[in-house]
Amino acid sequence: MINSSEFKLHRKNLAEKIGRGYVILAGNQEVQAASDMAFAFRQESNFWWMCGIDEKNWKLVYDAGRDYLILVMPEFDEITRVFEGSLSKDEAVKISAADDVILDSEFDTVLDKIQQENAKVYALTYEDSRRFYDDNFENPARKNLMNKLNGRFSEIHDVSKLLSQTRSIKTDKEIELIQKSVDKTIDAFELIHKKIKSKEYKFEYQIEADLWQEFRGAGFNGQAYDPIVASGLNACTLHYSKNNQILKKGDMVLIDAATKLEYYPADITRTYAFGDVSRRQKDIHSAVQEITKSILRALDEGLRDVGEYVEFSNNIIKKYLVELGLMSGFDDEANFYKYFPHAISHGLGVDVHDSLGGPKEFCERMIITVEPGIYVPDENIAVRIEENILFTGDGIKNLSSGLSTDY
């Protein structure tokens, strides 16, 4: 498991990019789900990556020049402590290797000192990137912190890109944890594939239940994200998550699911046949298999330029869409995006969709997904295969290669 030395390493790697200056971050608050119930707590990813504290209402101040971390501890009343517990100062230091832990009532004093130093201040302003989907609400903790900082400092530098760039290069421990999540996810997929072949399932949600049992029952941290168990036409909805439809013989079942260990997830997709499927379904599945092989081969042979990678991948997909009669030619852009409506890859790390910081080239120790798919709503067919790829010094390692792509 991860320990305090890992978080200290993360901070030092970030400090190399920042030089002198203070990074000030807020951990997440709880968010109301209903009445007196909160949604399941999930820590802000950058905050957790820097200190490992997985509790609500904490903050941190990191002096990058001195490699000195101050944690700011919330002050809870006794009722909250009884119902929810709280993390002690000693426990926080053990987790994070912090140099000091102060109470929230002392936070202003620390900010006064930084202001007097006229030091450079960094926070998550996200000025350099579009961080949130338009219909998502940001956790209020960051806005509350920014209101406090904007009242004190004339200039606050956005640290989001520097954090993304630093996080994109995985440490040995991070690679180890992601591989363990991949391996456990493979175990679950193999069990489910076997049960699909023997038609032991009747509903999509029964597959989802087996995923939870396999992940949580083995001591992993449950689902890395809301699983997609989509049969037939449902799989043409990219983020389908109802998982409540009856399985029909002759349908393909697309499963996009994974577990996580600590905060480190896998992200795997396979598409399986539920009973006998048509020649057309087999052809589309075979095409996605061949697309995947071609892309992985190119990466292993040294394709690193991100723009060239996207163009290469798109052209391979177009080739098969033309062969399948879904595009009239390579210039048929409308049908290309109709039948392949998502990106070919994303970063994988503390966030399942991890930002790589906008690199022009893939670098050693980056981890991405490779996930070609073909979606044909008019024919109730959707196939996606998703692999987890680590860039090495001389090629790639497919972390999920142990899982067959067969239907």
Side-chain angles (χ1 to χ4, degrees):
M1 293 297 182
I2 201 163
N3 59 35
S4 61
S5 62
E6 180 71 13
F7 298 114
K8 192 169 182 64
L9 174 61
H10 294 177
R11 297 193 294 270
K12 292 186 74 171
N13 289 341
L14 177 63
E16 289 178 6
K17 294 184 179 297
I18 288 176
R20 296 182 63 84
Y22 289 86
V23 179
I24 306 174
L25 301 183
N28 277 341
Q29 298 174 207
E30 281 188 327
V31 178
Q32 182 189 32
S35 185
D36 60 348
M37 292 176 60
F39 284 107
F41 181 76
R42 206 277 189 188
Q43 188 59 278
E44 199 282 321
S45 297
N46 294 293
F47 182 90
W48 183 87
W49 180 86
M50 285 191 68
C51 69
I53 300 299
D54 197 16
E55 302 283 338
K56 63 183 179 181
N57 297 342
W58 285 68
K59 292 186 280 288
L60 68 79
V61 178
Y62 177 55
D63 182 345
R66 292 194 300 146
D67 185 28
Y68 191 92
L69 177 68
I70 300 172
L71 290 177
V72 183
M73 181 181 186
E75 299 177 57
F76 293 122
D77 58 34
E78 191 58 31
I79 293 176
T80 302
R81 293 180 190 279
V82 169
F83 275 84
E84 301 180 18
S86 62
L87 193 69
S88 72
K89 289 185 177 182
D90 288 344
E91 289 169 329
V93 170
K94 184 177 180 180
I95 291 167
S96 65
D99 300 284
D100 194 10
V101 180
I102 65 172
L103 295 174
D104 192 59
S105 56
E106 303 171 87
F107 184 44
D108 282 346
T109 302
V110 173
L111 296 182
D112 287 342
K113 179 176 178 295
I114 295 171
Q115 190 175 16
Q116 290 164 10
E117 289 180 21
N118 198 27
K120 200 169 185 178
V121 173
Y122 293 85
L124 289 171
T125 70
Y126 296 115
E127 293 169 359
D128 294 336
S129 62
R130 180 176 175 270
R131 180 66 176 83
F132 301 101
Y133 290 113
D134 293 336
D135 57 352
N136 281 359
F137 289 97
E138 184 182 356
N139 191 282
R142 189 189 70 85
K143 183 177 181 180
N144 292 339
L145 175 63
M146 288 304 300
N147 287 340
K148 180 180 281 286
L149 298 182
N150 283 326
R152 288 177 174 272
F153 303 104
S154 59
E155 186 176 18
I156 301 171
H157 300 270
D158 184 21
V159 75
S160 59
K161 191 169 185 178
L162 291 175
L163 275 164
S164 295
Q165 291 171 342
T166 309
R167 284 172 49 188
S168 73
I169 308 301
K170 303 299 185 289
T171 66
D172 289 344
K173 175 57 70 172
E174 289 176 310
I175 293 169
E176 175 192 334
L177 290 170
I178 290 173
Q179 182 68 75
K180 286 181 177 180
S181 293
V182 168
D183 291 343
K184 176 43 61 179
T185 301
I186 288 174
D187 290 344
F189 269 80
E190 288 177 338
L191 169 73
I192 287 164
H193 192 194
K194 182 179 179 181
K195 293 175 76 169
I196 285 176
K197 280 185 173 181
S198 60
K199 301 182 186 65
E200 295 182 42
Y201 297 116
K202 185 176 180 181
F203 291 93
E204 293 168 344
Y205 57 72
Q206 293 171 323
I207 296 174
E208 180 181 350
D210 269 355
L211 287 167
W212 178 262
Q213 171 61 35
E214 284 298 298
F215 298 157
R216 200 71 184 103
F220 283 69
N221 297 93
Q223 309 276 14
Y225 48 90
D226 289 340
I228 298 168
V229 182
S231 57
L233 181 61
N234 294 335
C236 292
T237 300
L238 297 182
H239 287 172
Y240 174 81
S241 60
K242 292 181 179 179
N243 304 343
N244 62 1
Q245 297 298 301
I246 193 167
L247 299 173
K248 299 176 184 177
K249 291 180 181 178
D251 275 348
M252 304 293 282
V253 183
L254 187 154
I255 303 170
D256 185 339
T259 191
K260 62 183 178 180
L261 190 57
E262 302 283 349
Y263 264 59
Y264 291 97
D267 187 3
I268 293 175
T269 306
R270 293 293 187 266
T271 308
Y272 298 137
F274 190 72
D276 295 330
V277 293
S278 68
R279 180 74 261 167
R280 178 67 163 172
Q281 289 167 306
K282 292 177 182 178
D283 288 345
I284 291 175
H285 191 278
S286 178
V288 177
Q289 283 183 308
E290 292 305 312
I291 292 166
T292 305
K293 290 176 185 177
S294 296
I295 293 172
L296 296 187
R297 188 180 309 116
L299 290 174
D300 200 35
E301 291 173 355
L303 179 58
R304 289 293 181 273
D305 183 277
V306 174
E308 291 177 6
Y309 164 68
V310 172
E311 182 179 10
F312 174 86
S313 301
N314 288 351
N315 285 337
I316 292 291
I317 295 170
K318 288 177 180 179
K319 171 181 179 292
Y320 282 93
L321 289 177
V322 170
E323 290 181 4
L324 291 164
L326 296 170
M327 287 178 63
S328 60
F330 269 56
D331 294 332
D332 186 3
E333 293 291 319
N335 278 322
F336 172 65
Y337 290 110
K338 176 181 178 181
Y339 297 117
F340 179 62
H342 61 77
I344 187 63
S345 294
H346 59 76
L348 182 65
V350 174
D351 289 316
V352 175
H353 289 184
D354 218 37
S355 171
L356 300 178
K360 293 183 178 180
E361 293 189 348
F362 295 120
C363 301
E364 185 176 355
R365 292 181 174 271
M366 283 183 176
I367 298 178
I368 66 169
T369 64
V370 172
E371 49 182 305
I374 295 175
Y375 309 85
V376 193
D378 294 344
E379 302 179 44
N380 289 355
I381 301 172
V383 175
R384 180 165 70 248
I385 293 170
E386 183 176 17
E387 305 283 25
N388 299 170
I389 305 302
L390 167 69
F391 288 94
T392 64
D394 57 359
I396 61 170
K397 179 182 179 182
N398 182 356
L399 303 178
S400 50
S401 64
L403 181 61
S404 170
T405 62
D406 291 344
Y407 60 81

